[in-house]
PDB file of all heavy atoms in Angstrom:
ATOM      1  N   ARG A 298     117.725 266.938 307.494  1.00 97.00           N
ATOM      2  CA  ARG A 298     116.864 265.797 307.862  1.00 97.00           C
ATOM      3  C   ARG A 298     115.422 265.969 307.338  1.00 97.00           C
ATOM      4  O   ARG A 298     114.777 265.176 306.906  1.00 97.00           O
ATOM      5  CB  ARG A 298     116.888 265.746 309.416  1.00 97.00           C
ATOM      6  CG  ARG A 298     116.090 264.646 310.077  1.00 97.00           C
ATOM      7  CD  ARG A 298     116.361 264.688 311.537  1.00 97.00           C
ATOM      8  NE  ARG A 298     116.146 265.975 312.102  1.00 97.00           N
ATOM      9  CZ  ARG A 298     116.353 266.335 313.358  1.00 97.00           C
ATOM     10  NH1 ARG A 298     116.911 265.377 314.223  1.00 97.00           N
ATOM     11  NH2 ARG A 298     116.105 267.470 313.956  1.00 97.00           N
ATOM     12  N   GLY A 299     114.877 267.209 307.680  1.00 98.00           N
ATOM     13  CA  GLY A 299     113.528 267.497 307.197  1.00 98.00           C
ATOM     14  C   GLY A 299     112.364 266.861 307.939  1.00 98.00           C
ATOM     15  O   GLY A 299     111.334 266.617 307.478  1.00 98.00           O
ATOM     16  N   SER A 300     112.571 266.705 309.292  1.00 98.00           N
ATOM     17  CA  SER A 300     111.555 266.139 310.087  1.00 98.00           C
ATOM     18  C   SER A 300     110.391 267.144 310.294  1.00 98.00           C
ATOM     19  O   SER A 300     109.136 266.679 310.310  1.00 98.00           O
ATOM     20  CB  SER A 300     112.008 265.509 311.357  1.00 98.00           C
ATOM     21  OG  SER A 300     112.325 266.611 312.296  1.00 98.00           O
ATOM     22  N   ASN A 301     110.695 268.335 310.363  1.00 98.00           N
ATOM     23  CA  ASN A 301     109.464 269.296 310.461  1.00 98.00           C
ATOM     24  C   ASN A 301     108.769 269.390 309.138  1.00 98.00           C
ATOM     25  O   ASN A 301     107.595 269.544 309.158  1.00 98.00           O
ATOM     26  CB  ASN A 301     110.103 270.691 310.834  1.00 98.00           C
ATOM     27  CG  ASN A 301     110.271 270.896 312.332  1.00 98.00           C
ATOM     28  OD1 ASN A 301     109.245 271.015 312.966  1.00 98.00           O
ATOM     29  ND2 ASN A 301     111.511 270.867 312.862  1.00 98.00           N
ATOM     30  N   MET A 376     119.268 276.211 306.845  1.00 94.00           N
ATOM     31  CA  MET A 376     120.398 276.704 307.587  1.00 94.00           C
ATOM     32  C   MET A 376     121.104 277.663 306.770  1.00 94.00           C
ATOM     33  O   MET A 376     122.408 277.583 306.536  1.00 94.00           O
ATOM     34  CB  MET A 376     121.322 275.585 308.166  1.00 94.00           C
ATOM     35  CG  MET A 376     120.681 274.699 309.154  1.00 94.00           C
ATOM     36  SD  MET A 376     119.687 275.615 310.383  1.00 94.00           S
ATOM     37  CE  MET A 376     120.069 274.751 311.910  1.00 94.00           C
ATOM     38  N   ILE A 394     110.908 278.032 312.171  1.00 98.00           N
ATOM     39  CA  ILE A 394     110.838 277.369 313.493  1.00 98.00           C
ATOM     40  C   ILE A 394     112.118 277.407 314.011  1.00 98.00           C
ATOM     41  O   ILE A 394     113.160 277.225 313.315  1.00 98.00           O
ATOM     42  CB  ILE A 394     110.183 275.981 313.498  1.00 98.00           C
ATOM     43  CG1 ILE A 394     109.863 275.499 314.869  1.00 98.00           C
ATOM     44  CG2 ILE A 394     111.058 275.059 312.696  1.00 98.00           C
ATOM     45  CD1 ILE A 394     108.788 274.518 315.000  1.00 98.00           C
ATOM     46  N   HIS A 395     112.231 277.766 315.360  1.00 98.00           N
ATOM     47  CA  HIS A 395     113.554 277.843 316.031  1.00 98.00           C
ATOM     48  C   HIS A 395     113.455 277.169 317.418  1.00 98.00           C
ATOM     49  O   HIS A 395     112.505 277.355 318.075  1.00 98.00           O
ATOM     50  CB  HIS A 395     113.909 279.386 316.171  1.00 98.00           C
ATOM     51  CG  HIS A 395     115.231 279.612 316.813  1.00 98.00           C
ATOM     52  ND1 HIS A 395     116.351 279.358 316.151  1.00 98.00           N
ATOM     53  CD2 HIS A 395     115.485 279.909 318.092  1.00 98.00           C
ATOM     54  CE1 HIS A 395     117.356 279.643 316.967  1.00 98.00           C
ATOM     55  NE2 HIS A 395     116.958 279.942 318.145  1.00 98.00           N
ATOM     56  N   PRO A 396     114.526 276.308 317.713  1.00 98.00           N
ATOM     57  CA  PRO A 396     114.400 275.555 318.944  1.00 98.00           C
ATOM     58  C   PRO A 396     114.772 276.294 320.235  1.00 98.00           C
ATOM     59  O   PRO A 396     115.704 275.842 320.927  1.00 98.00           O
ATOM     60  CB  PRO A 396     115.369 274.423 318.618  1.00 98.00           C
ATOM     61  CG  PRO A 396     116.424 274.957 317.672  1.00 98.00           C
ATOM     62  CD  PRO A 396     115.753 275.985 316.935  1.00 98.00           C
ATOM     63  N   GLU A 460     108.130 270.568 318.381  1.00 98.00           N
ATOM     64  CA  GLU A 460     108.181 271.271 317.011  1.00 98.00           C
ATOM     65  C   GLU A 460     107.096 270.725 316.090  1.00 98.00           C
ATOM     66  O   GLU A 460     106.460 271.475 315.422  1.00 98.00           O
ATOM     67  CB  GLU A 460     109.569 271.265 316.460  1.00 98.00           C
ATOM     68  CG  GLU A 460     110.563 272.115 317.216  1.00 98.00           C
ATOM     69  CD  GLU A 460     111.916 272.064 316.510  1.00 98.00           C
ATOM     70  OE1 GLU A 460     111.938 272.102 315.289  1.00 98.00           O
ATOM     71  OE2 GLU A 460     112.973 272.161 317.204  1.00 98.00           O
TER      72      GLU A 460
HETATM   73  C1  LIG B 814     114.865 271.895 314.015  1.00 64.93           C
HETATM   74  O1  LIG B 814     115.107 271.595 315.358  1.00 64.93           O
HETATM   75  C2  LIG B 814     114.643 273.362 313.887  1.00 64.93           C
HETATM   76  O2  LIG B 814     114.072 274.011 314.967  1.00 64.93           O
HETATM   77  C3  LIG B 814     116.140 273.817 313.744  1.00 64.93           C
HETATM   78  O3  LIG B 814     116.745 272.892 312.985  1.00 64.93           O
HETATM   79  C4  LIG B 814     116.144 271.693 313.201  1.00 64.93           C
HETATM   80  C5  LIG B 814     115.712 271.064 311.825  1.00 64.93           C
HETATM   81  O4  LIG B 814     115.379 269.682 312.000  1.00 64.93           O
HETATM   82  N1  LIG B 814     116.250 275.157 313.146  1.00 64.93           N
HETATM   83  C6  LIG B 814     117.131 276.077 313.525  1.00 64.93           C
HETATM   84  O5  LIG B 814     117.837 275.922 314.400  1.00 64.93           O
HETATM   85  C7  LIG B 814     116.924 277.464 312.787  1.00 64.93           C
HETATM   86  N2  LIG B 814     117.546 278.432 313.494  1.00 64.93           N
HETATM   87  P1  LIG B 814     114.492 269.023 310.887  1.00 64.93           P
HETATM   88  O6  LIG B 814     115.342 269.256 309.584  1.00 64.93           O
HETATM   89  O7  LIG B 814     114.429 267.588 311.157  1.00 64.93           O
HETATM   90  O8  LIG B 814     113.190 269.715 310.626  1.00 64.93           O
END
Side-chain angles (χ1 to χ4, degrees):
R298 180 176 57 183
S300 72
N301 275 291
M376 296 317 222
I394 189 153
H395 182 75
E460 290 185 36

